[in-house]
Amino acid sequence: MPTLFTPLQVGDLLLPNRIVMAPLTRVRAGSTHIPNDMMVDYYSQRASSGLIMTECTMVDVHACAFMGEGGIYSPAHVAGWKRVTDAVHAKGGRIFMQIWHPGRAAHSLLNDGEPPVSSSSKAIRHETTGTPQGAKPYEIPRALRTEEISRYVEMFRFAATNAKQAGFDGVQIHGAHGYLIDNFLRDGVNARTDVYGGSIANRARFLLEVTDAAISVWGAGRVAVRISPLVPFNDMLDSQPETLVTYVAQEMSHRKIAFLEIRHKNHALPDEQAILATARQNFQGTLMTNGSYTHETGESTVASGKADAIVYGRPYIANPDLVERFAKQASLNEVNYDRLYGGGADGYSDYLTLA
């Protein structure tokens, strides 16, 4: 019976444990989006994780949503991230880059006047986003033309290539949380009538094309995918989430990707449990799950075979030595929510370890 401390083969990588660090966007890269000394410290501090996944990382200069997330679209970004991967590897860690385009969650004030893009011209409702001019309502995105979607696929291929040059161990494609790929996946947003809209197979086409592009760079054993079929963040909804998960899981299983991550709003909810079971049934590779897990619920989930590894977010923000704390049944540091996004090392890379 596996535990969180049982090694796990994930595609081409052998993880020493099943305690995985979630992608956590902390916006410390500044206006250049180039990783800095703080980020080198932050990631290398967490190298005992079975696998680290980076914050969402921009695949293009006009793919900004947060005023300070990392980028991977230029040689300077490659060099910056190489410092991070070298530091993580020097401590024996493994690290995937999460490659990402925000889609309709972007804003023109963050992207040199370029409007946000999406599957359809539907804005995120009832929310605002931070910009250099303060909080602003989300803009109505421009629906991508059929003939230009291939250019966005190539953005992801280019990002995957740059991530490889930067020394990462693989890439995770961000298909969750209402960003560009998710704008195509879920029918609460996707109202297209072309080959990228309508049926589930059509709505998943963009994700599969991006996945195949990343596989062409890395091989399937170094590519992962994240989806969040029930998470309502960024005004998202799908009418048939279990059917969507069935199709995506089967397609990813055929491709033999390294792992599939299911991001929950809360893993304990019955509908989220059903989604995870659907993914388990239809994906034959390594399945990871993420959504308010504790040490205890993570252990029980792995032991029961419902998932193969647990992806921890908030615990990793405040506990760089989370693996060691779980091993010793030690108490956890509390998250400093006042210093969650932006700023300096305070509340980012200054959390104390047990040592």
Side-chain angles (χ1 to χ4, degrees), residues 230-232 242 262-277 289-293 297 301 306:
L230 290 178
V231 175
E242 287 194 35
I262 303 296
R263 176 68 168 94
H264 305 294
K265 52 188 176 183
N266 185 324
H267 77 277
L269 298 173
D271 56 350
E272 296 284 10
Q273 290 287 326
I275 285 291
L276 186 62
T289 178
N290 178 337
S292 300
Y293 285 90
T297 58
T301 299
K306 293 178 181 178

Side-chain angles (χ1 to χ4, degrees), residues 57-351:
T57 308
M58 297 161 55
V59 300
D60 184 73
V61 65
H62 294 138
C64 176
F66 298 119
M67 290 194 296
E69 67 271 51
I72 191 63
Y73 51 84
S74 78
H77 294 100
V78 172
W81 281 113
K82 184 66 165 60
R83 296 176 60 225
V84 172
T85 60
D86 284 350
V88 170
H89 291 150
K91 291 187 175 181
R94 297 137 301 278
I95 183 167
F96 270 37
M97 170 175 277
Q98 187 187 72
I99 51 178
W100 164 84
H101 192 295
R104 70 177 188 160
H107 196 284
S108 61
L109 291 173
L110 296 169
N111 292 287
D112 301 320
E114 289 288 323
V117 298
S118 180
S119 61
S120 307
S121 296
K122 294 183 180 180
I124 296 173
R125 301 170 298 173
H126 316 307
E127 299 287 345
T128 61
T129 187
T131 79
Q133 298 180 16
K136 298 287 184 181
Y138 282 100
E139 299 167 305
I140 297 174
R142 179 177 67 82
L144 289 174
R145 301 184 303 276
T146 305
E147 63 272 16
E148 66 180 324
I149 291 175
S150 61
R151 183 166 70 87
Y152 284 78
V153 173
E154 291 306 308
M155 287 180 189
F156 281 91
R157 191 194 310 272
F158 183 61
T161 301
N162 282 346
K164 194 170 189 179
Q165 293 177 354
F168 282 90
D169 297 302
V171 293
Q172 186 192 54
I173 296 161
H174 197 342
H177 288 177
Y179 301 123
L180 184 58
I181 291 173
D182 204 18
N183 296 162
F184 280 81
L185 275 179
R186 291 199 257 179
D187 59 11
V189 173
N190 189 337
R192 301 178 72 93
T193 57
D194 63 357
V195 296
Y196 291 94
S199 69
I200 288 175
N202 280 357
R203 286 186 275 121
R205 188 184 305 274
F206 181 45
L207 169 62
L208 299 182
E209 289 177 348
V210 168
T211 303
D212 290 340
I215 289 172
S216 75
V217 174
W218 280 95
R222 301 277 180 163
V223 173
V225 169
R226 181 190 228 201
I227 58 173
S228 59
L230 290 178
V231 175
F233 181 69
N234 278 330
D235 191 22
M236 294 299 296
L237 181 71
D238 190 80
S239 64
Q240 296 180 296
E242 287 194 35
T243 306
L244 177 63
V245 170
T246 297
Y247 181 80
V248 170
Q250 289 174 350
E251 288 295 321
M252 295 305 165
S253 194
H254 294 330
R255 286 164 172 77
K256 296 182 169 59
I257 64 169
F259 66 90
L260 176 65
E261 180 193 354
I262 303 296
R263 176 68 168 94
H264 305 294
K265 52 188 176 183
N266 185 324
H267 77 277
L269 298 173
D271 56 350
E272 296 284 10
Q273 290 287 326
I275 285 291
L276 186 62
T278 298
R280 174 91 286 179
Q281 180 180 356
N282 289 281
F283 182 69
Q284 304 309 310
T286 298
L287 181 65
M288 298 192 186
T289 178
N290 178 337
S292 300
Y293 285 90
T294 64
H295 181 188
E296 293 73 23
T297 58
E299 285 283 13
S300 64
T301 299
V302 167
S304 67
K306 293 178 181 178
D308 300 301
I310 307 299
V311 182
Y312 289 95
R314 280 170 292 181
Y316 255 122
I317 291 174
N319 299 277
D321 58 345
L322 187 66
V323 171
E324 292 79 7
R325 288 175 184 268
F326 278 2
K328 295 179 179 181
Q329 301 285 327
S331 61
L332 300 184
N333 295 325
E334 294 294 326
V335 176
N336 181 351
Y337 286 101
D338 292 336
R339 297 291 183 268
L340 204 57
Y341 301 114
D346 182 24
Y348 181 63
S349 56
D350 66 343
Y351 285 104

